[in-house]
Structures are given as structure tokens and as C-alpha cells.
Amino acid sequence: MTSLPTPITSPLDTREYRSLELNNGLRVLLISDADAEKAAASMNVAAGSLQDPDEWPGLAHFLEHMLFLGTATYPESDAYQNYIRQHGGSYNAFTAPRDTNYFFDIRPEHLDGALSRFSRFFVDPLLSDDYLEREINAVHSEWSATLQDDGRLRLAALRQALNPEHPSSRFSAGNRDSLDIEDPALRQAMLAYHENYYHPDRMTLVIIGPQDLNELEALTEKHFLDLETKTSEPDPKWPELVRSEDLPALLEIKPLRQTRQLQLLFPIADSTADFKKKPDTYLAHLIGHEGQGSLLDALKQKGWVTELSAGSQMRTGQEALFSINLQLTPTGEEHLKEIEAAVFAWLNLIREEGIEEWRFQEKAKIAANSFRYQERSDPSNLATHLAMQMPLYPIEDLLRVHSAWDTFDAELIRDYLNQLKPDNRLTLHISPDVETDSVAPWLPAEYRLQQPLSENRARLVAPPEFLELRLPGPNPFIPSNLTLNDGEQQLQPQRIKETTGMEVWQGLDTSFEAPRAQLYISLQNPRVTSSLRERLLAQLTARWLQDELNAPGYPARLAGLNYDIHAHSRGLTLSLGGYNSEQERLLEMLLETLLTASVDEEHFQRLQLRQEEALINQRRDRLPQQLIRQTFNDSLSPSWTPEEQLKALPKLKAEDLADFVETFPNQLYVQLLSWGNHTPAAVERLADKLQQRLQPGLTPEDVERLGIKQLPPGQWSKKLNLEHNDRALLFYFQGKSGDPKEEAYLRLIAQLQSSAFFHELRTRQQLGYAVFSNFLPLIDQPGLFYFIQSPDTEPDELAEAIEAFLRSDLQRLEKLDKQDFEEHRQSLINRLTESDKRLSQRADGFWQEIGNGRYQFDYKDRVAKEVASIDREALTTFYTQLMNFSRAAYLVGSSPERRGRLLPGQEADPDSWPVRILETNNP
């Protein structure tokens, strides 16, 4: 065993690190975190879909699936999954172009057993013939679920413009056609892939836990030393990603959603080796700047573009594509040539004036603050991230890769900028209105490719005359004070002020050792609560305010502050986060904009169109999102469907929005929460500012609260005909209103059934790829759901399969031995009582309690206490009542077929269901 360098850490990082290389060549990073409530591990294999054989597209992904289905040491197909779930953990894996990654988390005392099962994936997997058909069905279902995913469709079209000799141009997901299980050569190819690439010299392992480093090292040796020592062949030098003779080119793509984009892609060198100089990141920062005088600011004011982003993508280790992506308005779509010319004018300005050391050093300072005060990551996410980084970067720099702005290299930056030239561009125009002449293989992406463009088509026009571009000056929002405030630390918010029109909650909390705070300001107006018209105007106001603040507020975002404005059922919420020293100035800017900015006709039309497109695009959301949204819409009062909103939206005029913006502050009740590094005096000063500027005068009783419809006992159903090729069924139980004991029972049932539900309906019955169940609350009302998405099984059959599982599972629950039951119960208790990992996570929980009027800041602890009191007999009694529909069951299904059998149960009539108005439990 060889010791490797120790990673450079943030001064505030209390974890201990050890990196080493086992005798078989496996490189390992061990992280001892005394505060970790979960242990986690991730194994990264530096081989993915780019290594697929030409004749077997999707093989790497298929192998990833097969590794879960038993090993010689643990031959049961669900041995690993059951162990992880039983002991409070989770697991998953994914295949990327250059990597395949496997990861899990678990209660720390069971890390040894988890690693024992996990390590066998890479030592003695069965890859049994018995499971080939079952798992190809899962891979096929996963592929089928992407047939209406615009991101996947766009990639399928883009691949047609890439060099056909480059592996990035190939289909990589796999399906029944690309992976023919009737061909015996498939399993041999899978075994060969595992033999060729699953070698210790291509694998990197990260293990995190509260155990000390010596114990983690002993576990590593115990479970991974018997990986066979092998040396992999290096990856070949691939041909160029886009052939130079094919550029410049134009690729037009017709999306399913209402979206319009202009994207310029440029082949560039992969900058991974220059991560300390960050040439492409420096350019992306300037190109994508959104402040006053920027390219986005100019095009946005003209009404041509709404968003702009820039950065490298599709890194291969040798090359990458640098992307400049602009979200267009319909008007902007009429000026594509001028927008392209404006992009290159912006690049020329950066070339002439933008490559300056002070700009690099400013970014370095912001990055240093971010590194010093970085928030803790979830152990599983951290392990996965670091395991994927280990093949790419020196181990000592692993934790600071994104914060390392070490060396300003003007010549290198200029070299990268010179690759962003007109004759090196691949232009993507994405719009519902483009004309296409081809459909991509494997995924039905409609596109037209002109490659290369004629000299006349490729020629740039003159930049628009209205352009007045200027590069950003020094950032005024870089925090001026990073000290932590002294004072009594709070465990939950304290109400420090209550007057007519306002209540103020505050908590000083510096336990995360970062000079940050979260501010939440709810502006509640009774006009918004019960009128669709007013609700739409509130949503448009939130969009308008975000737009107005974008350019002046962008430097704040860069400096480590953040803000958000969103509409809700009672008005608007303003949220601010990040370094607290500059929050008062940011809040003043926000209030000034709200109270003084004006609405013009052109801006209103753009806002109205974006709202319309967002509502239309909901039809293309993933099926779980759509069915859960339907369930919530049917359960809330008042609520309006997307169709009702689309019908009402065109009736609104610019003067309606202008009037709403002007009069909205005249009738307000305000709630404020500050949590973090603000003292009570600072919060009172903020509250006084709000009081002076807004002069709120209402009481909480003046603003009507939402209601939740109480589904009558029994089984109810609704069948939809959504715009999706798959079928789906959501089986939802509504619990009785906000009671910790009711929630405890439903959460414990979800904990006990999750793995069994997946194994029975996905693994054994193969009903679909997306198969899951979980606890599902609606504000303060507990609930439980089961979901299946299937490419070919109709929703009535899915409903029958779910109900059959639920009824038969009673026997399993009754026979659970005491130890298994207690393991699951303890896992749930641990999850409920886990400490918060981030300041924002803690503050969000408190704000939710204030918003729903419950004010029970220890609510999860109360639920955990109730879980601890439940024994197996009490649980099965509750479950029997549930299955007798003493609590309502609501089945919502969707099928592309308009005909077919009805769903079980009575047809739902949500308008007839009684409504429970949320009450304020004033402390």
C-alpha cells in the first residue's frame, strides 16, 4: 500500500483525509467526518459510453444495470438493495460518456456490511443469463421515458453534426433493438467490457464515515484488496469531435416544448489540465455576464433575448465544445443574424479590453471566500463528486478544483478566445417554428443540418446599431465584513416584533461558521388569495421584478449573495441568502425597484408570453410531476388548472399589471424571518426599513389562507390523456389532517415498503423503469403514494398490480421479525432527526413552519417520537385500516390511448369534496 498526498482543505473543514493506493492499483480517498450521520461510498470506473463497442450501443449502461443483480458471494438479485434500504440507506448508479459511477449511503454502523456487498460488484458479479431479459426491459423502459425529453432529443440531433468517427456521435442509452439479448454475443461483449475496463487502475474509490481513518483504511483493505491487479489499455486518440471541414454549420432542431434558443458551439481544447488557470471559465464569466452594459443586458432591453449562458461542455479529455446559449423571444427569432453578429462584437470587445489581471484576481477572491466558507455536502454526493474528480486532477487539489484561480495567463486565455471564431462555429437554432427534413436515429428528434454552410450563409452581418456594450467594472458586492457576530445562539426562531401589519422572527445561528444569513419576506395581499386574475398578476409581477433586478443584481450573485422572488397563494415572497454584510443594500435595491419601476407594453408582452409558454410546457413535464401536480390541484382550494390559467392569461393587459404593481403594496401583511449571522438589532433595522417603505397595515386574519380538500373515505379515480407516449399510475393515500402520529405511521409504512414495492413491480413483474413509493405531504396534510410509469401496461392494470401488492404485503409486514422492524424504525428516526447540513436547509424548515401557520419548529422531532412508540402490531392494525380505505385513496392515471378500461374506484369529483381551511396555531 502506498500513501498519496493529502488534499488541501478549507481552513474551516474539520474532516480528516487520507489518500492511498492499494497494492492492486486502486486509488482510494478516505474521509473521516466525526459529525457524519451517514456513511457513504462511491466507486468510479473511468469508462463509460465512449468505450461502448460499435456493434453494441448502450452496453456500458446495460452492464451498470446488471451489476446490481447478484454476485457469487451474495447471489440473491436484491441482496445489496435490501441491505442498504433496511439500514436507512439509499443507492444508485449512472453511466456517463467517460465514467460509470456506483454509490450508496447507509447508517454508519452498517458500513462494513454495505462495503462487503458493494465491493463484490467489481470482484465476482454473476452477470447471469437469467436476468438479461428482465434488465433489458428496464433499460428499454428508461429509454422509452426519454422519447419526449427535449434534452435527450437535442443531444440526438446534435450527434448528427458530430464527426461520425467519434464515439460521442453514437447512441449510448441502449434499448431492446441495440442490445439484442437473443444474440449470445451480447453477454460475451458485456463480460469483455467488464474484463477490459473494470480494472483497479481505472477505478477510484471514496469512503466517508464517522469512523477514524485507521478503521476506514482497514475496511478498505478488507473488502477491496482482492480486486485483481490488471493494467488497462489507454483510451485511443479519438478523431476530432467536429470535423473542421464541416464548419461553419447550422443545425435546426424542432423541440416539443415551447422554447426558442440560439446556441453557438465551438470546438476547443479540453482545459482540464489548466484548471489552475481556468482559461475557458474566465471567458465564460465575461461572455455570460448579465450586468449593466453586457451583451445580455443590451439584447434583453431590445426584447430579443431573455437569458444567456456560456461555458464548456461535452469534455472528452482531448477536446470540448464551448457553448454560448441564448434564450430567444419570438421577436429575437426574427433577428438571428443580428444576434450572432452581436455575440462576435462582444467577443471582440473582450479580446480588446477584457483580458486583464485585476478581473482574474477578483474572481480568485470570490472563489477563495467560497472555498473558505463552503457548505457541507451530503456524504453520498460528496463521495460521488470526488470519485469522479480523482482520475482528472492531482489528489492534493481535489477539494479546491473549482476554487483554484492560481495563475493568470493572458496568452492562454487569448488562445482559447481565438478558437471562438466565426468559421469555427456550429450554430444551433431550436424552435417550434423551424423547418426540418430529417429524424435522428434511436430518438425521434426532428432536425435539419446544413454542413458546411455556404460562404454566403456563413457570412456575418454588421452588428446592430443599438449595441452599446461595456465590460463590467469592479464588483461592489464583494463582502466587506466576514466576521461572525457574537451573541446567544438560537435553536429556533424567536418572535422579536409583532405590530399591526408585520411580525418579525429572528435567530442568531453561527454554528456553520460562515458569515451568512437567510432572509425571507412574505408580502401578503388578500387580493391574491381567491382570484385567478390576481394570482396570475402576482406571478407576472414576480417575473417582472426578477427581470428588472437582473442586471443591477447580477454582481451580487457573483459575489456570493442570492435572491429570489416568487408568487404564492397569498402574494409574493422575497428571499435573500449568502453573505449577510451586503444584504441590507441588496434588499434596498429590491424594494426600490418594486416601489418605483414601471411596466411598459413590450415588456408586458414578453412576460405574458413566457408565462404562457411555461404553462404549455407543463404538458411536457415528466409523468410523475404531472400526476403529482394533478393530485395537488385537485386537493387544494382554491386552485386552477394550467388550462384555466391559459384561458385567463390573454385577457390581461399591460395596464392591469402596471396597476397591480402600483397598488399591491397598499394592502399588506408582512412576515419576516432572518436566520443566521444577523443580530436582533440588525434584523429590527431591516424590519424598520420594510415598515417605512411598505407601511403594511393588515392583520393575519385579513388574508385568507389556503384550504385542503378532505377526500371522503373510499377509493376515487381520475383518468387523464396526457401528451406522453408512456402510461402511468399514481396511487395516493391522503392521511388525516396534520397530526404527528398519523404522519409517523405513513412515514414508517413508506420506509418498510419502498424496497419491496420496487423489487416486486419493477424487478420481478417488470412493469416499468420508474417504479417508486414515498411519503407525500401536502402543506400540513400527510400522505403516501405509489407510482409506476410503463411503456406498454395500461393504467388500470397498473392500479390492479399496485393494489394487489399492497394487499399481499400485509402478510410480509405481519411476519417481519423484531430485529428487521426495529432496524427500519430506527432508520426512519435517524432520518427525521438528522442535523441540518446547511444554513439554508435549517432556515427553509423554519420558514415553512411560519408559512403554514403551524409554528411547530420541532415538528420532525415530534414525529420521530411518535415513530419510536409504534410497534409492529400497531402498524399492521393501521395498515389494515388503510387498505380498507378508511383514509381516502386517489388513483390518477394517464394513457396515450383515449379509450380503454376505467380505473378502479368511483369517478372523482373534487369540487364536491369538503375543504379544511388551514388554521394559524399562533404561539
Side-chain angles (χ1 to χ4, degrees):
M1 184 181 300
T2 304
S3 294
L4 300 176
T6 301
I8 299 168
T9 62
S10 161
L12 300 177
D13 190 347
T14 59
R15 293 170 291 208
E16 296 181 324
Y17 297 83
R18 180 180 296 170
S19 53
L20 46 91
E21 183 175 314
L22 302 186
N23 292 336
N24 56 18
L26 177 66
R27 290 192 300 145
V28 184
L29 176 62
L30 306 175
I31 305 175
S32 175
D33 183 353
D35 298 323
E37 294 167 298
K38 285 275 188 77
S42 174
M43 178 72 88
N44 194 75
V45 183
S49 59
L50 292 184
Q51 284 76 20
D52 279 345
D54 289 337
E55 59 272 31
W56 296 110
L59 185 68
H61 183 208
F62 186 49
L63 172 60
E64 171 225 305
H65 276 245
M66 290 294 295
L67 284 185
F68 281 85
L69 299 175
T71 63
T73 310
Y74 298 99
E76 298 87 356
S77 63
D78 57 352
Y80 167 75
Q81 297 91 317
N82 281 343
Y83 187 87
I84 299 291
R85 289 280 192 188
Q86 181 179 357
H87 298 298
S90 60
Y91 58 87
N92 215 328
F94 59 86
T95 303
R98 299 167 62 193
D99 303 275
T100 308
N101 191 280
Y102 304 81
F103 57 93
F104 71 85
D105 63 17
I106 198 163
R107 283 163 45 197
E109 62 269 28
H110 299 288
L111 178 60
D112 186 8
L115 289 174
S116 177
R117 289 158 178 79
F118 182 65
S119 63
R120 299 304 95 184
F121 284 17
F122 316 103
V123 176
D124 56 18
L126 292 178
L127 304 176
S128 170
D129 283 329
D130 296 341
Y131 300 125
L132 290 178
E133 181 176 1
R134 189 171 83 181
E135 216 51 35
I136 196 60
N137 287 339
V139 168
H140 189 84
S141 294
E142 189 175 351
W143 165 81
S144 175
T146 68
L147 293 176
Q148 296 195 34
D149 182 319
D150 267 330
R152 296 296 185 94
L153 293 170
R154 183 186 307 182
L155 177 59
L158 174 60
R159 283 174 165 153
Q160 311 315 304
L162 302 181
N163 184 349
E165 299 300 316
H166 196 286
S168 293
S169 68
R170 299 182 308 210
F171 174 56
S172 60
N175 64 12
R176 291 191 193 114
D177 295 324
S178 72
L179 300 166
D180 181 5
I181 62 171
E182 299 301 323
D183 188 338
L186 172 61
R187 184 169 185 272
Q188 294 307 311
M190 185 169 56
L191 293 170
Y193 189 105
H194 192 277
E195 175 71 17
N196 291 337
Y197 296 111
Y198 277 60
H199 295 175
D201 67 344
R202 277 187 177 263
M203 298 161 76
T204 46
L205 174 67
V206 177
I207 302 176
I208 302 174
Q211 297 86 345
D212 65 39
L213 289 172
N214 290 335
E215 185 177 349
L216 293 175
E217 183 175 323
L219 289 173
T220 304
E221 289 185 296
K222 176 181 177 182
H223 297 300
F224 294 93
L225 265 181
D226 54 351
L227 276 170
E228 188 177 351
T229 304
K230 293 180 181 177
T231 302
S232 302
E233 291 294 323
D235 288 326
K237 182 171 176 54
W238 289 309
E240 56 188 340
L241 189 56
V242 184
R243 293 180 299 207
S244 54
E245 61 266 28
D246 289 338
L247 295 175
L250 172 64
L251 175 63
E252 296 168 289
I253 305 172
K254 185 185 291 290
L256 298 176
R257 289 174 176 260
Q258 293 296 306
T259 183
R260 295 168 176 81
Q261 295 179 46
L262 180 68
Q263 185 177 24
L264 306 182
L265 295 173
F266 304 87
I268 62 170
D270 190 321
S271 66
T272 299
D274 287 313
F275 71 96
K276 294 183 181 181
K277 299 180 178 181
K278 295 197 168 30
D280 54 337
T281 309
Y282 179 92
L283 291 173
H285 159 64
L286 286 179
I287 296 168
H289 204 280
E290 300 179 18
Q292 292 166 327
S294 67
L295 174 65
L296 175 62
D297 189 36
L299 296 178
K300 203 168 186 179
Q301 289 190 42
K302 188 64 175 175
W304 289 0
V305 168
T306 60
E307 297 175 26
L308 187 153
S309 60
S312 294
Q313 62 183 49
M314 203 176 277
R315 296 179 185 270
T316 69
Q318 299 165 17
E319 292 179 273
L321 295 178
F322 190 90
S323 166
I324 303 174
N325 194 6
L326 304 100
Q327 299 284 335
L328 305 171
T329 66
T331 304
E333 199 168 20
E334 298 171 1
H335 298 277
L336 296 179
K337 284 284 191 180
E338 293 98 319
I339 293 173
E340 267 197 315
V343 169
F344 285 102
W346 185 231
L347 295 178
N348 285 335
L349 181 61
I350 292 170
R351 183 177 291 107
E352 293 166 4
E353 302 178 15
I355 305 176
E356 300 178 286
E357 185 166 6
W358 74 264
R359 298 183 186 279
F360 187 93
Q361 296 304 334
E362 183 178 84
K363 286 293 294 180
K365 183 176 182 179
I366 292 171
N369 285 341
S370 178
F371 183 61
R372 178 179 179 84
Y373 298 111
Q374 61 185 313
E375 295 188 305
R376 297 177 74 85
S377 298
D378 171 84
S380 179
N381 291 338
L382 179 62
T384 300
H385 171 71
L386 294 177
M388 292 189 73
Q389 299 280 68
M390 285 175 70
L392 304 177
Y393 301 102
I395 196 79
E396 58 267 31
D397 294 311
L398 205 58
L399 301 175
R400 62 184 293 269
V401 166
H402 300 297
S403 303
W405 291 73
D406 293 359
T407 306
F408 174 65
D409 189 333
E411 184 177 349
L412 182 63
I413 294 170
R414 197 172 299 279
D415 285 345
Y416 272 82
L417 183 55
N418 288 337
Q419 296 174 65
L420 312 185
K421 53 188 180 181
D423 62 359
N424 194 41
R425 78 188 188 275
L426 168 59
T427 302
L428 274 63
H429 176 205
I430 300 154
S431 168
D433 302 323
V434 298
E435 294 184 6
T436 63
D437 57 16
S438 302
V439 177
W442 304 109
L443 286 167
E446 298 181 41
Y447 71 97
R448 178 170 63 180
L449 175 62
Q450 299 174 62
Q451 188 182 53
L453 285 173
S454 67
E455 184 176 342
N456 185 52
R457 289 295 307 276
R459 186 179 299 116
L460 293 177
V461 301
E465 292 184 1
F466 65 82
L467 276 186
E468 294 183 5
L469 302 175
R470 67 179 186 274
L471 292 168
N475 191 323
F477 282 97
I478 294 176
S480 56
N481 182 356
L482 294 171
T483 58
L484 297 179
N485 287 312
D486 295 325
E488 181 182 354
Q489 300 289 298
Q490 303 294 334
L491 298 178
Q492 60 184 41
Q494 308 297 310
R495 186 159 53 192
I496 63 172
K497 185 174 184 178
E498 185 176 22
T499 63
T500 300
M502 177 182 286
E503 69 169 350
V504 181
W505 294 82
Q506 182 268 343
L508 177 64
D509 178 5
T510 59
S511 61
F512 295 94
E513 299 187 84
R516 295 190 178 101
Q518 294 293 128
L519 287 175
Y520 306 87
I521 303 162
S522 179
L523 308 179
Q524 300 170 22
N525 186 310
R527 293 166 53 186
V528 179
T529 58
S530 57
S531 162
L532 171 57
R533 179 182 183 276
E534 303 297 314
R535 187 75 62 87
L536 286 171
L537 286 169
Q539 293 169 3
L540 289 169
T541 299
R543 287 184 182 274
W544 166 80
L545 193 51
Q546 289 274 24
D547 272 4
E548 292 292 317
L549 281 167
N550 190 67
Y554 185 71
R557 293 188 188 276
L558 291 178
L561 286 85
N562 56 74
Y563 63 88
D564 181 61
I565 302 108
H566 71 267
H568 54 79
S569 62
R570 289 179 287 167
L572 298 173
T573 288
L574 319 177
S575 306
L576 290 80
Y579 300 116
N580 61 282
S581 66
E582 310 306 313
Q583 285 181 346
E584 186 172 349
R585 185 149 56 104
L586 182 59
L587 177 59
E588 177 60 41
M589 179 192 297
L590 198 154
L591 291 174
E592 181 69 15
T593 305
L594 174 63
L595 295 173
T596 63
S598 58
V599 178
D600 64 67
E601 178 67 35
E602 288 187 4
H603 193 183
F604 171 78
Q605 290 178 6
R606 296 195 300 271
L607 294 170
Q608 189 178 44
L609 177 63
R610 283 162 57 195
Q611 183 75 5
E612 179 185 17
E613 289 177 342
L615 289 166
I616 293 172
N617 287 339
Q618 288 184 8
R619 301 169 183 167
R620 298 293 183 176
D621 285 344
R622 295 170 57 244
L623 282 175
Q625 290 174 269
Q626 294 198 59
L627 295 191
I628 290 174
R629 181 167 55 239
Q630 181 70 52
T631 302
F632 281 4
N633 278 342
D634 288 345
S635 303
L636 287 173
S637 178
S639 68
W640 297 275
T641 66
E643 288 69 28
E644 289 171 324
Q645 295 177 62
L646 283 167
K647 186 176 179 180
L649 186 63
K651 299 175 184 177
L652 299 176
K653 308 299 180 188
E655 51 268 28
D656 297 324
L657 181 59
D659 178 71
F660 183 91
V661 169
E662 182 180 353
T663 59
F664 174 78
N666 297 342
Q667 282 186 294
L668 288 180
Y669 177 70
V670 176
Q671 287 181 309
L672 165 66
L673 167 66
S674 166
W675 187 262
N677 195 40
H678 279 305
T679 63
V683 177
E684 289 192 21
R685 188 168 62 248
L686 291 171
D688 289 344
K689 180 166 294 193
L690 283 168
Q691 189 95 38
Q692 293 165 9
R693 298 301 304 270
L694 299 175
Q695 299 182 358
L698 301 186
T699 68
E701 293 71 29
D702 293 325
V703 186
E704 185 180 344
R705 301 181 68 83
L706 267 178
I708 300 178
K709 296 176 184 176
Q710 304 300 290
L711 281 66
Q715 191 178 50
W716 308 88
S717 64
K718 174 180 285 189
K719 189 173 181 180
L720 308 172
N721 180 231
L722 301 177
E723 295 179 23
H724 200 288
N725 53 288
D726 280 353
R727 289 85 176 146
L729 192 285
L730 181 80
F731 199 120
Y732 167 71
F733 285 105
Q734 185 186 65
K736 295 183 178 177
S737 61
D739 170 43
K741 180 171 277 296
E742 180 87 359
E743 181 165 329
Y745 275 112
L746 292 174
R747 281 187 179 272
L748 187 52
I749 290 169
Q751 166 71 28
L752 287 162
Q753 286 192 318
S754 174
S755 183
F757 180 71
F758 178 89
H759 180 71
E760 173 62 24
L761 298 176
R762 193 273 204 185
T763 307
R764 201 184 71 78
Q765 295 188 35
Q766 303 173 56
L767 289 178
Y769 173 73
V771 177
F772 50 89
S773 59
N774 211 337
F775 178 73
L776 183 66
L778 175 56
I779 310 179
D780 69 343
Q781 186 122 12
L784 182 65
F785 81 96
Y786 305 83
F787 176 84
I788 303 177
Q789 179 175 335
S790 174
D792 43 34
T793 304
E794 289 298 321
D796 60 284
E797 298 175 68
L798 297 177
E800 291 170 358
I802 291 174
E803 185 166 346
F805 164 80
L806 294 175
R807 294 197 178 281
S808 65
D809 201 48
L810 175 60
Q811 295 180 1
R812 183 186 66 86
L813 295 174
E814 289 174 334
K815 293 176 182 177
L816 269 181
D817 64 47
K818 184 177 181 181
Q819 182 178 352
D820 282 353
F821 180 82
E822 290 181 353
E823 286 279 1
H824 280 288
R825 185 175 61 186
Q826 190 59 47
S827 293
L828 176 56
I829 292 170
N830 288 353
R831 191 163 67 249
L832 287 166
T833 57
E834 269 184 354
S835 60
D836 298 305
K837 303 299 185 294
R838 294 172 299 281
L839 180 76
S840 58
Q841 179 187 9
R842 183 173 298 170
D844 283 346
F846 292 147
W847 182 241
Q848 185 176 348
E849 284 296 314
I850 292 171
N852 67 25
R854 191 165 57 188
Y855 297 100
Q856 295 180 17
F857 301 118
D858 63 345
Y859 185 74
K860 282 192 175 181
D861 291 331
R862 297 187 188 193
V863 175
K865 186 176 180 181
E866 295 291 352
V867 171
S869 72
I870 299 174
D871 59 26
R872 188 183 60 189
E873 289 69 30
L875 181 91
T876 54
T877 298
F878 180 93
Y879 187 78
T880 300
Q881 295 172 358
L882 195 68
M883 293 315 303
N884 289 333
F885 302 121
S886 62
R887 283 123 178 110
Y890 189 24
L891 283 61
V892 183
S894 174
S895 172
E897 305 294 334
R898 290 191 177 273
R899 297 181 179 180
R901 292 168 53 193
L902 296 175
L903 295 176
Q906 304 174 66
E907 186 173 351
D909 181 16
D911 290 340
S912 69
W913 294 340
V915 177
R916 174 178 68 88
I917 302 298
L918 292 172
E919 297 179 359
T920 299
N921 181 24
N922 214 338

